[in-house]
Amino acid sequence: MSLRIDQALARASELSGLSDSADLDVQLLLETVLDKPRSYLYTWPERSLTMPQQQLFEAQLQRRISGEPIAHILGFRDFWTLSLEVDSSTLIPRPETELLVELALERLERRPQRIADLGTGTGALALSLASECKLWQVSAVEFSPAAAALAERNRVRLALENVDVLTGSWCEPLRGQFDLIVSNPPYIDPEDPHLYQGDVRFEPRSALVAEDHGLADIRRIAEQASACLNPGAWLLLEHGYDQAEAVRNILAAEYYQAIQTYPDLNGHDRVTVARMIEAL
Ligand code: GLN
């Protein structure tokens, strides 16, 4: 029995309670299985999938029903204006992290600038910023060799010559001074029960969890970055919705000023920015 597109879309009901984006998940599966844009699904709802398409759709839907993140099933996730390859070696880029890109763009000038992205994962932040201005030179640092290889594949596929992927811990592989540093580090408390629910179960703990109630890596970055930033240069950090005050205190104890927190689209405190003092 052949499956029509509208019938396939209705299979989203099998994901209710399992996914908070059930309709979107099924649309994304169908787009890739049919290799058509979303508009096609609603223009031709009565068209049928071929047998191989149907088999692939059923197999992928089952994977989603068993909890696997949609980005891992598709192998790609859209972030900013880019489509990024993703795998289980690192975090799946989140929409709220695009706030870091916006806040960085507001602080960068269209002239040669040196940018670093610490813990780049897929390369999401580094590649998004590099794609906005060819004059900017971006160092993308990643500790996990598998994730660094993934970031490098994304860099090559997107043909972004102004990015260098470096392997190492936070600021350690950086050379020279920078005008802006961004990071979406691990910041989840090891005790957080959310680690055992939903998509995060399929992401590496090293990309999610930090000691000291999730603040250990943010503290290391704040300390190390102060030696790598030019006077007046910016540090932008993503953090948990309830960590803004703690992050501001960490930054205030180092040589930072103009410390400010911004909410994400859900209204949660998500990014804190700070500026290296001009001179001692
Ligand atoms: N915001 C992510 C989550 O709650 C965590 C991202 C991170 O640790 N950097 O799943």
Side-chain angles (χ1 to χ4, degrees):
M1 246 251 313
S2 70
L3 186 69
R4 293 197 326 245
I5 289 173
D6 56 353
Q7 293 169 324
L9 285 167
R11 301 283 296 277
S13 63
E14 292 172 40
L15 289 172
S16 64
L18 298 163
S19 167
D20 46 22
S21 53
D23 289 327
L24 180 62
D25 290 357
V26 172
Q27 286 164 11
L28 286 167
L29 289 181
L30 282 170
E31 277 174 50
T32 31
V33 163
L34 297 168
D35 194 21
K36 299 283 186 209
R38 186 151 328 159
S39 57
Y40 180 93
L41 307 177
Y42 297 94
T43 312
W44 307 107
E46 71 292 348
R47 289 202 180 166
S48 291
L49 280 68
T50 65
M51 207 34 89
Q53 286 170 342
Q54 192 174 332
Q55 280 164 356
L56 183 58
F57 173 73
E58 297 288 355
Q60 295 192 333
L61 185 63
Q62 286 313 312
R63 285 170 67 184
R64 185 66 188 127
I65 289 169
S66 70
E68 210 177 321
I70 199 77
H72 285 175
I73 299 169
L74 301 174
F76 280 87
R77 166 57 48 95
D78 287 342
F79 181 86
W80 198 243
T81 62
L82 310 175
S83 177
L84 297 169
E85 183 190 337
V86 294
D87 66 25
S88 57
S89 71
T90 189
L91 207 70
I92 299 165
R94 313 280 205 264
E96 56 267 30
T97 302
E98 292 178 348
L99 175 62
L100 267 176
V101 181
E102 284 172 31
L103 294 170
L105 292 178
E106 287 171 11
R107 287 165 177 77
L108 287 159
E109 292 168 37
R110 296 211 153 250
R111 59 179 174 85
Q113 303 254 271
R114 293 193 76 215
I115 302 170
D117 172 17
L118 307 180
T120 199
T122 59
L125 287 167
L127 298 170
S128 298
L129 291 172
S131 73
E132 291 289 329
C133 181
K134 300 292 173 235
L135 296 171
W136 300 339
Q137 196 61 41
V138 185
S139 297
V141 179
E142 175 53 48
F143 188 72
S144 148
L150 174 69
E152 176 63 9
R153 285 200 301 281
N154 278 320
R155 186 195 73 74
V156 169
R157 211 190 55 265
L158 296 164
L160 291 166
E161 304 291 337
N162 52 334
V163 179
D164 288 307
V165 177
L166 308 172
T167 308
S169 173
W170 307 128
C171 294
E172 180 243 8
L174 298 179
R175 296 291 169 265
Q177 302 302 110
F178 289 78
D179 300 299
L180 184 138
I181 295 180
V182 288
S183 184
N184 174 17
Y187 55 71
I188 300 181
D189 186 325
E191 308 290 325
D192 191 328
H194 291 107
L195 290 166
Y196 307 99
Q197 295 162 17
D199 287 8
V200 293
R201 291 172 299 161
F202 292 81
E203 294 175 302
R205 212 179 145 80
S206 58
L208 294 164
V209 174
E211 295 303 318
D212 188 15
H213 306 289
L215 293 168
D217 288 307
I218 287 176
R219 188 169 279 118
R220 276 186 204 107
I221 291 168
E223 285 167 11
Q224 294 181 17
S226 63
C228 305
L229 288 165
N230 284 318
W234 292 95
L235 174 63
L236 288 75
L237 294 171
E238 181 171 326
H239 52 72
Y241 71 96
D242 55 356
Q243 293 171 329
E245 193 183 344
V247 173
R248 289 196 297 267
N249 289 337
I250 289 169
L251 291 165
E254 301 289 329
Y255 295 102
Y256 299 97
Q257 59 188 21
I259 301 167
Q260 205 177 342
T261 298
Y262 292 84
D264 63 22
L265 287 173
N266 298 315
H268 298 129
D269 281 345
R270 184 61 61 196
V271 174
T272 294
V273 309
R275 202 162 192 194
M276 185 47 42
I277 54 169
E278 290 288 345
L280 279 176

